[in-house]
Amino acid sequence: MTLDTLIAEPWADYGLVDSGHGRKLERYGRFRFIRPEPQAMWAPASGDWKADGEFIPASDDDGGGRWHLDRNVPEEGWPLGWEDVKFQAQCTPFRHLAFFPDMASHWSWMRDRISEGSEALNLFGYTGVGSLALAAKGAKVTHVDASKKSVEAGKANAALSGMSDKPIRWLVDDAAKFAAREVRRERRYDGIMLDPPKYGRGPNREIWHLEEGLPGLIADCAKLLDDKSRFLVLTVYAVRMSALAIGELVRQQLGDLGGTVSCGEMAVREEARGLALPTAIFARWER
Ligand SMILES: C[S@@+](CC[C@H](N)C(=O)[O-])C[C@H]1O[C@@H](n2cnc3c(N)ncnc32)[C@H](O)[C@@H]1O
């Protein structure tokens, strides 16, 4: 299996402006922010970054830290768009802005593989930008996330996009339990996307641990696909895991379905010099 690099290109409302010396400068609509970025070991293109806020990590860097924001940055967030989808960006305590721009490469790829009435499953769906990207192209989407707050944000994003009437099932549930239940119900999907965190909790305190849970979850996803299905997209971030490893897992579990599997690194294009800043790894199956 060979490795691919999927690079998300900048768009009107988002761009990685510059990066270097362990930090990155990004634009989110009319605001610019600086965030820590350990992978940007190179020197930045410019020594003069102007931003509306910066996330300063805690000194022990256990993931903690806090935003230092100018007064003009709205606490409740502000609307952004990606193609025909609208969503609310917001500076969250987890240092990101309530959506993941590197996923745009997958949103486009999946949109090329669905048609009116396709059934899609989005596990660990967060604030629903991926679900809306599919629903906008006519897919019926089942969106699952353990966090009621994220699911509410997803519904609010649907309203913002003028898509409240689209056939999206918004479910607060444990992703692994839900997938197992769907297997027992003999449900089938045309496409599945899953973006599992390293650790997580289901709504009833179910424990999600990536290394332990992923093989069983991919096996269940394979059972939710059949000879008419088109894709599965798995993304993994913030763990020490190789893209080849998740590529091999997906190939093994989905092998009986035919089709092809690819895997590799995800990255975001830097506008200053065109270099690619890595963000996550992926494996995806298609037919
Ligand atoms: C980083 S987010 C996914 C991002 C999303 N795919 C996107 O691009 O916007 C990970 C999500 O997993 C959810 N989560 C964590 N543990 C879970 C579990 N056991 N079952 C379902 N969702 C879970 C979290 O609530 C969070 O919304």
Side-chain angles (χ1 to χ4, degrees), residues 87-134:
F87 52 93
Q88 194 80 350
Q90 192 179 19
C91 296
T92 75
F94 309 104
R95 71 171 71 174
H96 58 69
L97 282 97
F99 76 103
F100 296 93
D102 56 326
M103 296 295 281
S105 329
H106 292 310
W107 301 334
S108 302
W109 185 86
M110 290 187 295
R111 276 155 74 109
D112 290 342
R113 282 159 183 80
I114 55 161
S115 43
E116 193 69 37
S118 292
E119 296 255 3
L121 174 62
N122 186 4
L123 296 172
F124 307 95
Y126 192 44
T127 53
V129 185
S131 296
L132 295 172
L134 297 180

Side-chain angles (χ1 to χ4, degrees), residues 96 98-104 107 122-131 143-148 150-151 171-178 193-203 205-209 235 237:
H96 58 69
F99 76 103
F100 296 93
D102 56 326
M103 296 295 281
W107 301 334
N122 186 4
L123 296 172
F124 307 95
Y126 192 44
T127 53
V129 185
S131 296
H143 173 106
V144 181
D145 197 283
S147 152
K148 191 163 182 264
S150 294
V151 170
L171 305 177
V172 177
D173 208 337
D174 179 67
K177 265 196 181 168
F178 178 78
M193 64 182 293
L194 60 163
D195 188 18
K198 183 173 166 58
Y199 297 110
R201 290 275 189 174
R205 315 294 297 155
E206 298 94 339
I207 291 173
W208 167 258
H209 185 262
T235 53
Y237 53 92

Side-chain angles (χ1 to χ4, degrees), residues 31-129:
F31 301 111
R32 288 176 170 225
F33 300 101
I34 299 170
R35 298 193 288 154
E37 182 48 78
Q39 308 226 57
M41 293 177 285
W42 45 77
S46 160
D48 181 28
W49 285 3
K50 289 195 177 49
D52 302 282
E54 178 165 2
F55 189 93
I56 308 286
S59 50
D60 54 359
D61 199 23
D62 57 353
R66 65 178 209 88
W67 285 99
H68 295 248
L69 298 172
D70 289 355
R71 232 172 287 143
N72 61 332
V73 178
E75 251 177 65
E76 68 286 3
W78 61 100
L80 294 184
W82 176 82
E83 298 198 356
D84 45 8
V85 177
K86 297 216 164 24
F87 52 93
Q88 194 80 350
Q90 192 179 19
C91 296
T92 75
F94 309 104
R95 71 171 71 174
H96 58 69
L97 282 97
F99 76 103
F100 296 93
D102 56 326
M103 296 295 281
S105 329
H106 292 310
W107 301 334
S108 302
W109 185 86
M110 290 187 295
R111 276 155 74 109
D112 290 342
R113 282 159 183 80
I114 55 161
S115 43
E116 193 69 37
S118 292
E119 296 255 3
L121 174 62
N122 186 4
L123 296 172
F124 307 95
Y126 192 44
T127 53
V129 185

Side-chain angles (χ1 to χ4, degrees), residues 239-268:
V239 288
R240 291 178 57 175
M241 193 177 278
S242 157
L244 288 172
I246 60 170
E248 232 20 276
L249 172 68
V250 168
R251 183 154 77 173
Q252 188 182 78
Q253 299 289 356
L254 275 64
D256 293 346
L257 292 162
T260 55
V261 174
S262 61
C263 67
E265 297 213 12
M266 291 160 63
V268 175

